[in-house]
Amino acid sequence: MMHRPWSSLGLFLYGIICILLLANLLSPVTAQDESSLPPACQTAISSPRFMQECQQALLDSVQLTVDDYTNRGAERDAAFDFGSNLTFLTTCLFETEATMLDRLCSAGEIKVYIDSLIDFISSGSSGLVAPPISTVNCNETHWSQGCEDGWSRILQVSTNQTSDLYQNMNTIPLRNEETSAACCAGFFCPRGLSCMIPCPLGAQCPKSTLVDGLCTPYGYQVTPGRNYSCGGANLWADLSHSGGAFCPGGSYCPATTDIRRCDKGFYCRQGSTRPSKCFQLTSCDAEATTQHIQSYGLMIIVALATILLLVYNCSDHVMHIREKRKIKTREKVVRQVQEQFNAVERWKFAVDAAKRIGRTFSRRQSKGPEEMQVLPHFVQRSNEARHKYGTIDEENEGGKPQVDPLRVVEEDLYVPVEVPPIPIEDESSNTKKRPVAQTKSQILRYAYREIEKEKALQNKRMSWDTVVKAEQGMHANRRRKIEITFRDLSLYLKGNGKKILCNVTGKLSSGRVTAVMGPSGAGKTTFLNALAGKAYSSTTTGEILINGRPDPISCYKKIIGFVPQDDIVHGDLTVEENLWFSARYRLSVSMSKADQVLVVERIIDSLGLGAVRNSRVGTVEKRGISGGQRKRVNVGLEMVMEPSLLILDEPTSGLDSTSSQFVLKALRREALVGVNVGVVLHQPSYGLFKLFDDVMFLAKGGRTIYLGPVEQVENYFASMGIVVPERINPPDHVMDVLEGISKPEENPGFDPRTLPVKWIQHNNYPMPADLRAIAASMGGSSEGTRLRSEDTESSRSVRARKSFTEELWQEFTSFWEMRWDDIQSTFRRTVDLSGRRTLGFWSQFKLIIMRVALQRFREARLQTQDYLILLLCGACLGLITPSRDSSLGSNNYTYVIIALSLLCMISALRTFSNDKLQYWRESASGINRVAYFLAKDTVDHFNTVIKPVVFLSMFYFFNNPRSSFVENFVVTLALVYCVSGIAYVFAITFHNGPAQLWSVFLPIIFTLVATKRETSGFIKGLQYVMYARWVLEAYVIANAKKYSGVWLITRCVTLRGAGYDLNHWILCLTILFLMGFLARCISLLCLMLCNRKRQQ
């Protein structure tokens, strides 16, 4: 019985062979010169029944049986268009004495053969001899020489006397047992049918000869014990079952009875009908089966490497020249500005000297003029200095007065130099309004002039605060002041309900620098995180007011800067590039580029980073600037955005005294222009401590013991008997008291736990319930002691009453509460009250693309390593996995899918895994997450296109498959695009270790499952959601299209066995690109949801 999965294959083969008999084989015969044939042959060929009725009947009967995925016309021509080469047909007519037509198989016999062939192939038999077909002519009781392999007989009823020979598929016509003859060359006669079927093009079907008991070249054996002899070909099936009928490699067969040797300079694959000319620069010896095209792969590699090296070297050279020009321009501008200010000072000195001499001259009018000749000479030298630096108001060539910049500075040194705007035309004009274009030199001159003004004030021995206050008037309109008031602020962990911040009350004022200090575990960082809205996994109670209003702190996100304790910066960017990028996307779009440059230059100067501004920050693997400089860059990233509230978590940790002075003075400058600065510190020096305006001390348990001006710290603690000894740093002594290391000499029994109570009593705050017992005990009452003991016992009993099940349930509920909070925070929209409008989506997208492209360019060596690995992989796979025609090359493509998936997924992990910390910080500061994702993915499309070329330049030219390079490139491109998107999901969701394990595990499992045959149910459905299945089908289909003629059955068997469709190549590519796009959508969703709290 015929298996259902093979029914389509059977119908296809049946249709192809039927078309062979009439539409393509017999029609060309009528076009030959029939006069050369015997009269009987001429009569047979010109028979109207043969030419019209039989042909039309067969075409009508098989019209719907050929599979949809085949191009019937093209496939028919490739397999059975013998053209003018009909020698085998005329020979057969002579050999059979014009009985050839009666020896051809009928429609019913062809159907029986196809059914038997399908059963034979599907059984998995590896033999070259098919089992005998049982018909009315050949069975157990009727068996003769005509039933053997390669033999035929004529019909008992001639084709001229029957009308349904090619219409009725269910009838087997009777054949004359006495008319047995060997199958003609160019035909094959299946065992048990006793009829002939023409061999397709690409086959070699000569008559067989007996060699060592086998009929060569087909390998079948005659029935032993009978005086039978070898006939012709016996079978046309797939390559593994009828390899002897295929034209051998190294030769080509223009006809099924003609085999020719492949000459030098040509190559002939197995089943070829004509030789293929070798490409230029390739070597093809005589009888070559393939051409050696490795040289083309080497040329592609050399060309690609040359282009990449040229781009890398030229770009590096161009960037180096650009950096040198930029440095020279900056140095020139700085020198000009300094000379300009020096000229101003000399001119002022000359004027003052002239005034002094003038006063002296007025007092000494009796003196002779010869004594006062020094005055004109001195004034003349001063005028020469002014003329040298362009300060004399002379008429230029155009007749317009020349601007005197030094006179502007002389009039008011602290008024910023404004760049004149372009004249605006009438509003009715169609000309778009835009600011005047400014050169880099003009922008840098403007920035350094402003900085030199501040330095000039310092040189006049003015206080540093006076310098900043002078600037405060210039930039006061840029900063929106934020004052934070908090009342009874408490914080509880969601898991166990532990209280880590207890009833903190106070205020952080704008324009002041507040230090938050305390022992380890006191909740310093937690306190500032609660104010900044970054208290993760906790519940906050109490009240936080922003400028007296209960607005969420997230409403002011754009003007709040938060400096984390870890130095989270981009190590592959320079100091200036890090600061400039932060300023570009966080400053207001209304701020001109000149002002943005001024902000960045001022921060670089105030933090002492000018010497390393063009140095890369560095990473763990590649050292860059020092640790102290890296810490200052970390602080500068938040200062360049001109925040109104600046919170810093231990910004001076790991810094020396000089670097700490840089940071604190920079913070003082920020505070004096109205910024509210809060700093967490650990035991600063006395000099640093005096730079703060206010200080907040927290005791263990998150309780406040002091919050107020720095000048009053010693007086406050002295009022409680805590006197700071001489030569002891006040904050160090307070910390020792809180830890219980140091105690007042007058009160040896001092308890540090009473300090929070005293602070509450000092400010008349409401006493919390958990401190009432301590407050009562401070009064010496027994009631207070009893309350403290009862509180202790009750807390112990509450902890003891919790069972394991209750704790487990509490952990479970708290986990899902936190996850739900993450989801809500992702889609929660807050009102922007900052009053600042930053860059939009497209502007950020372009900005991030430029940064990522620069980072990828600086990772050129790492990219080169990836390309070298791909080259080695392609060469190895091309050499050790030769393409087999029996499987249409599917054997080697399995390894290609695994190798490419592994290499591309591992390298794609770096896109997001290396910058996770930087992304969380930038996302918390307001960067557009969609623009960030799309920019990174867009830049990585360069690798998506280049990697298939690099891999195929070795694999394709070493393996030499039948499909074209372009087809292989398109499929490989779809594969790389798909697996890169999957790698994004792993990189974003998991840490580096698990992400790499998943990137190794998934391709192997997917490929093994996708290549599993004869599956059903769940596994079969699972294959359709695995990318490996569609990649392999696309590769196989691209190869299968190159197999035609004698390869039809091999192709059909392979495709149908794997469940592939020849028309699905575009569908496979579409599905792969859709999978890659869907994976990127999931990646973007994970980027927005995973670690959401770190992005707030």
Side-chain angles (χ1 to χ4, degrees):
M1 295 297 293
M2 184 175 62
H3 299 285
R4 180 172 297 176
W6 297 93
S7 59
S8 298
L9 174 61
L11 294 174
F12 167 71
L13 295 178
Y14 167 74
I16 288 296
I17 294 174
C18 290
I19 294 175
L20 153 74
L21 292 177
L22 295 178
N24 296 279
L25 173 62
L26 301 178
S27 295
V29 176
T30 61
Q32 301 300 310
D33 187 6
E34 300 177 2
S35 61
S36 62
L37 299 178
C41 295
Q42 296 181 25
T43 303
I45 293 176
S46 62
S47 169
R49 177 70 64 89
F50 179 80
M51 285 302 300
Q52 298 177 7
E53 295 181 7
C54 295
Q55 180 181 10
Q56 188 62 42
L58 281 176
L59 289 176
D60 292 342
S61 64
V62 302
Q63 184 71 31
L64 300 177
T65 61
V66 181
D67 275 347
D68 293 336
Y69 71 82
T70 62
N71 185 340
R72 287 193 288 268
E75 297 293 349
R76 181 186 60 192
D77 294 341
F80 306 117
D81 185 7
F82 298 103
S84 60
N85 196 348
L86 299 174
T87 306
F88 77 99
L89 187 59
T90 57
T91 302
C92 184
L93 285 172
F94 280 107
E95 291 179 355
T96 60
E97 298 179 355
T99 61
M100 181 190 70
L101 297 180
D102 291 336
R103 294 181 183 274
L104 295 177
C105 292
S106 66
E109 290 170 319
I110 293 175
K111 183 178 183 301
V112 171
Y113 168 71
I114 295 299
D115 293 343
S116 175
L117 179 63
I118 291 174
D119 291 338
F120 174 54
I121 295 176
S122 61
S123 64
S125 175
S126 58
L128 297 177
V129 180
I133 300 173
S134 179
T135 63
V136 294
N137 297 307
C138 300
N139 50 52
E140 295 179 357
T141 58
H142 296 84
W143 193 270
S144 62
Q145 176 74 65
C147 297
E148 288 291 317
D149 292 286
W151 285 77
S152 65
R153 295 185 293 191
I154 65 174
L155 296 171
Q156 287 188 357
V157 179
S158 176
T159 56
N160 294 325
Q161 301 176 9
T162 181
S163 60
D164 61 348
L165 182 62
Y166 298 109
Q167 295 178 355
N168 191 348
M169 296 184 183
N170 299 320
T171 302
I172 304 296
L174 295 177
R175 295 189 177 270
N176 192 342
E177 188 175 350
E178 303 298 331
T179 59
S180 299
C183 196
C184 295
F187 293 83
F188 69 96
C189 300
R191 182 180 178 86
L193 276 186
S194 299
C195 61
M196 298 189 308
I197 303 175
C199 295
L201 289 173
Q204 179 199 9
C205 297
K207 286 190 176 182
S208 62
T209 57
L210 186 63
V211 178
D212 297 331
L214 296 176
C215 296
T216 306
Y218 308 110
Y220 63 85
Q221 186 178 10
V222 297
T223 304
R226 299 187 181 184
N227 191 18
Y228 293 161
S229 59
C230 294
N234 69 321
L235 183 66
W236 173 41
D238 61 320
L239 181 62
S240 60
H241 294 92
S242 60
F246 284 72
C247 189
S251 302
Y252 66 98
C253 302
T256 55
T257 58
D258 184 13
I259 180 170
R260 300 180 186 179
R261 176 176 174 269
C262 204
D263 297 331
K264 185 176 181 180
F266 295 85
Y267 70 97
C268 301
R269 297 180 185 268
Q270 188 176 14
S272 298
T273 59
R274 62 180 63 88
S276 300
K277 186 174 178 59
C278 296
F279 296 155
Q280 296 292 333
L281 305 178
T282 60
S283 59
C284 291
D285 298 329
E287 299 183 0
T289 58
T290 58
Q291 57 178 339
H292 302 287
I293 55 177
Q294 291 84 354
S295 57
Y296 282 89
L298 295 177
M299 286 190 294
I300 291 178
I301 286 300
V302 171
L304 185 62
T306 302
I307 293 173
L308 292 177
L309 287 176
L310 286 175
V311 171
Y312 176 74
N313 291 331
C314 293
S315 300
D316 188 40
H317 186 63
V318 170
M319 292 182 64
H320 181 66
I321 294 176
R322 183 181 178 185
E323 288 295 328
K324 289 181 63 177
R325 290 182 60 186
K326 189 175 180 180
I327 293 173
K328 289 182 178 179
T329 301
R330 182 182 293 108
E331 292 176 350
K332 180 180 178 181
V333 170
V334 172
R335 185 171 58 253
Q336 289 177 350
V337 172
Q338 289 177 348
E339 290 177 354
Q340 186 178 9
F341 274 86
N342 292 336
V344 170
E345 293 299 323
R346 288 194 297 270
W347 169 246
K348 288 186 176 181
F349 177 77
V351 171
D352 293 340
K355 289 180 179 179
R356 288 195 300 270
I357 294 175
R359 287 193 295 269
T360 305
F361 178 77
S362 62
R363 289 193 300 269
R364 302 179 180 179
Q365 295 181 358
S366 60
K367 300 287 184 180
E370 65 278 359
E371 297 180 6
M372 304 304 297
Q373 290 179 357
V374 66
L375 178 60
H377 177 69
F378 190 79
V379 173
Q380 180 181 3
R381 291 186 57 189
S382 301
N383 289 335
E384 290 177 356
R386 294 184 64 194
H387 179 74
K388 178 181 179 181
Y389 295 103
T391 58
I392 300 296
D393 293 333
E394 298 175 349
E395 295 290 327
N396 56 13
E397 296 180 359
K400 296 181 181 179
Q402 188 175 4
V403 179
D404 185 0
L406 293 183
R407 181 168 297 178
V408 175
V409 177
E410 180 183 355
E411 293 174 358
D412 190 350
L413 191 62
Y414 308 106
V415 175
V417 179
E418 299 292 340
V419 180
I422 191 170
I424 301 177
E425 298 182 4
D426 185 66
E427 295 183 359
S428 60
S429 175
N430 295 327
T431 305
K432 186 177 180 181
K433 302 176 183 180
R434 58 177 182 173
V436 65
Q438 299 171 345
T439 64
K440 293 182 179 179
S441 299
Q442 292 174 340
I443 293 174
L444 289 175
R445 186 175 293 108
Y446 165 74
Y448 284 111
R449 181 176 294 178
E450 297 297 312
I451 295 174
E452 287 296 327
K453 289 177 184 179
E454 299 175 3
K455 292 182 178 180
L457 291 177
Q458 289 180 329
N459 294 334
K460 291 186 177 181
R461 296 182 180 180
M462 295 183 179
S463 66
W464 193 82
D465 290 353
T466 305
V467 176
V468 182
K469 285 181 178 179
E471 184 190 1
Q472 185 175 6
M474 295 186 293
H475 305 287
N477 56 342
R478 293 184 183 174
R479 306 292 180 97
R480 178 173 182 176
K481 295 184 178 181
I482 291 181
E483 183 177 270
I484 300 181
T485 304
F486 41 93
R487 300 170 185 168
D488 289 331
L489 181 62
S490 300
L491 193 141
Y492 302 84
L493 294 179
K494 289 184 178 180
N496 51 19
K498 181 180 178 182
K499 193 174 184 180
I500 55 178
L501 201 63
C502 302
N503 304 99
V504 180
T505 301
K507 180 175 66 175
L508 298 183
S509 302
S510 60
R512 301 182 69 83
V513 183
T514 304
V516 181
M517 302 176 62
S520 298
K524 305 180 295 297
T525 302
T526 303
F527 166 69
L528 290 183
N529 286 340
L531 295 184
K534 297 179 179 291
Y536 311 135
S537 305
S538 58
T539 302
T540 305
T541 61
E543 188 179 25
I544 300 178
L545 303 178
I546 310 297
N547 294 334
R549 299 174 55 184
D551 298 323
I553 194 67
S554 58
C555 297
Y556 302 89
K557 184 178 183 178
K558 293 182 179 180
I559 55 176
I560 295 178
F562 184 86
V563 180
Q565 184 175 355
D566 299 326
D567 302 331
I568 303 175
V569 293
H570 291 280
D572 45 8
L573 298 179
T574 64
V575 172
E576 183 179 3
E577 289 166 351
N578 273 285
L579 298 177
W580 177 245
F581 176 80
S582 180
R584 284 284 291 130
Y585 85 92
R586 300 181 71 180
L587 288 174
S588 175
V589 293
S590 61
M591 182 181 292
S592 64
K593 185 176 181 180
D595 289 332
Q596 292 179 356
V597 172
L598 172 61
V599 171
V600 174
E601 294 296 333
R602 181 184 287 121
I603 297 302
I604 291 176
D605 183 73
S606 62
L607 292 176
L609 297 172
V612 294
R613 64 184 305 150
N614 295 313
S615 302
R616 298 185 192 178
V617 175
T619 58
V620 177
E621 295 83 7
K622 188 175 182 179
R623 180 171 176 79
I625 60 179
S626 66
Q629 292 167 340
R630 185 184 180 96
K631 175 70 72 174
R632 282 179 274 167
V633 174
N634 185 38
V635 176
L637 289 178
E638 303 300 323
M639 294 177 62
V640 293
M641 52 87 65
E642 292 197 337
S644 296
L645 173 63
L646 183 59
I647 297 175
L648 305 95
D649 190 2
E650 301 185 19
T652 59
S653 296
L655 298 182
D656 54 25
S657 178
T658 303
S659 299
S660 299
Q661 289 280 348
F662 273 119
V663 174
L664 265 297
K665 285 188 176 181
L667 296 180
R668 286 284 302 164
R669 192 198 68 81
E670 293 294 311
L672 290 173
V673 295
V675 181
N676 191 343
V677 183
V679 186
V680 174
L681 287 180
H682 280 293
Q683 295 180 331
S685 63
Y686 183 76
L688 293 180
F689 183 69
K690 287 299 183 180
L691 289 177
F692 290 98
D693 297 310
D694 300 322
V695 64
M696 179 180 186
F697 286 102
L698 291 175
K700 285 188 175 181
R703 302 183 185 277
T704 310
I705 64 170
Y706 179 78
L707 174 58
V710 171
E711 295 81 4
Q712 300 179 11
V713 171
E714 296 185 44
N715 295 332
Y716 171 76
F717 285 104
S719 65
M720 295 184 294
I722 303 174
V723 180
V724 179
E726 294 183 359
R727 298 184 179 180
I728 298 296
N729 191 12
D732 292 344
H733 183 68
V734 174
M735 299 283 286
D736 292 340
V737 171
L738 289 175
E739 291 286 357
I741 299 175
S742 177
K743 294 185 178 181
E745 296 179 359
E746 296 80 3
N747 187 9
F750 176 78
D751 187 359
R753 292 179 296 178
T754 61
L755 291 177
V757 178
K758 292 181 178 180
W759 173 252
I760 293 174
Q761 294 175 346
H762 175 76
N763 293 278
N764 294 322
Y765 294 150
M767 186 66 64
D770 54 351
L771 293 180
R772 292 174 184 172
I774 299 178
S777 63
M778 289 173 58
S781 63
S782 58
E783 182 66 18
T785 306
R786 184 183 65 81
L787 290 174
R788 291 178 62 182
S789 62
E790 287 180 356
D791 290 342
T792 304
E793 292 297 330
S794 62
S795 61
R796 291 178 180 176
S797 62
V798 169
R799 289 194 299 266
R801 281 197 300 267
K802 286 187 177 181
S803 63
F804 173 77
T805 305
E806 291 174 341
E807 292 181 355
L808 183 63
W809 175 252
Q810 184 179 13
E811 292 290 336
F812 178 78
T813 54
S814 63
F815 172 80
W816 286 108
E817 285 179 2
M818 289 186 287
R819 299 287 81 78
W820 179 247
D821 290 344
D822 292 344
I823 296 175
Q824 285 183 322
S825 62
T826 302
F827 300 100
R828 183 184 299 122
R829 301 298 180 186
T830 57
V831 180
D832 185 15
L833 301 177
S834 62
R836 176 180 294 183
R837 188 169 64 90
T838 55
L839 293 179
F841 172 82
W842 287 112
S843 299
Q844 289 194 26
F845 175 74
K846 292 186 291 184
L847 184 65
I848 300 172
I849 274 190
M850 295 175 60
R851 184 187 70 178
V852 177
L854 180 62
Q855 290 175 318
R856 293 293 179 270
F857 178 79
R858 289 174 177 170
E859 295 174 355
R861 291 186 178 181
L862 189 59
Q863 300 291 337
T864 304
Q865 294 176 7
D866 292 342
Y867 297 154
L868 289 177
I869 294 174
L870 283 173
L871 286 175
L872 294 175
C873 178
C876 293
L877 290 179
L879 290 173
I880 66 178
T881 59
S883 179
R884 293 201 300 264
D885 290 326
S886 59
S887 62
L888 306 182
S890 61
N891 59 308
N892 54 352
Y893 283 119
T894 301
Y895 302 103
V896 168
I897 295 172
I898 295 177
L900 271 179
S901 299
L902 286 174
L903 296 178
C904 294
M905 289 181 73
I906 292 295
S907 61
L909 293 177
R910 296 195 297 265
T911 302
F912 290 98
S913 61
N914 290 349
D915 295 338
K916 275 187 178 180
L917 296 178
Q918 289 84 347
Y919 164 73
W920 291 337
R921 179 175 184 177
E922 292 172 354
S923 178
S925 62
I927 198 172
N928 191 293
R929 290 169 287 179
V930 179
Y932 176 86
F933 178 87
L934 293 180
K936 284 220 163 194
D937 185 43
T938 301
V939 173
D940 279 357
H941 284 339
F942 174 80
N943 280 331
T944 305
V945 175
I946 294 297
K947 285 183 177 180
V949 177
V950 173
F951 176 79
L952 290 176
S953 62
M954 288 288 100
F955 173 79
Y956 182 84
F957 295 101
F958 276 99
N959 188 266
N960 199 7
R962 298 206 179 197
S963 54
S964 66
F965 184 88
V966 175
E967 290 173 330
N968 280 267
F969 170 77
V970 174
V971 179
T972 309
L973 177 68
L975 169 62
V976 175
Y977 179 79
C978 180
V979 298
S980 299
I982 298 174
Y984 291 167
V985 179
F986 296 153
I988 294 171
T989 308
F990 304 108
H991 295 292
N992 289 343
Q996 293 174 0
L997 291 177
W998 274 106
S999 299
V1000 173
F1001 171 77
L1002 197 70
I1004 297 176
I1005 296 300
F1006 274 22
T1007 307
L1008 293 178
V1009 174
T1011 55
K1012 185 174 177 59
R1013 304 292 177 85
E1014 299 180 0
T1015 58
S1016 60
F1018 175 74
I1019 298 298
K1020 188 174 183 62
L1022 193 62
Q1023 288 181 340
Y1024 286 94
V1025 298
M1026 295 181 176
Y1027 73 89
R1029 193 261 184 202
W1030 302 102
V1031 177
L1032 184 59
E1033 181 174 358
Y1035 276 128
V1036 173
I1037 290 175
N1039 258 359
K1041 290 181 178 180
K1042 307 301 179 181
Y1043 289 87
S1044 59
V1046 71
W1047 295 101
L1048 282 178
I1049 294 180
T1050 303
R1051 188 182 74 185
C1052 295
V1053 168
T1054 304
L1055 294 180
R1056 286 300 177 183
Y1060 299 158
D1061 194 320
L1062 201 64
N1063 268 346
H1064 285 177
W1065 193 68
I1066 299 297
L1067 176 64
C1068 294
L1069 297 179
T1070 304
I1071 292 177
L1072 286 173
F1073 282 111
L1074 285 177
M1075 284 184 174
F1077 178 75
L1078 180 61
R1080 281 163 172 78
C1081 293
I1082 297 174
S1083 304
L1084 178 58
L1085 187 62
C1086 293
L1087 189 71
M1088 300 175 68
L1089 293 179
C1090 294
N1091 298 285
R1092 178 57 184 160
K1093 294 177 180 178
R1094 295 175 179 262
Q1095 304 177 35
Q1096 297 177 350

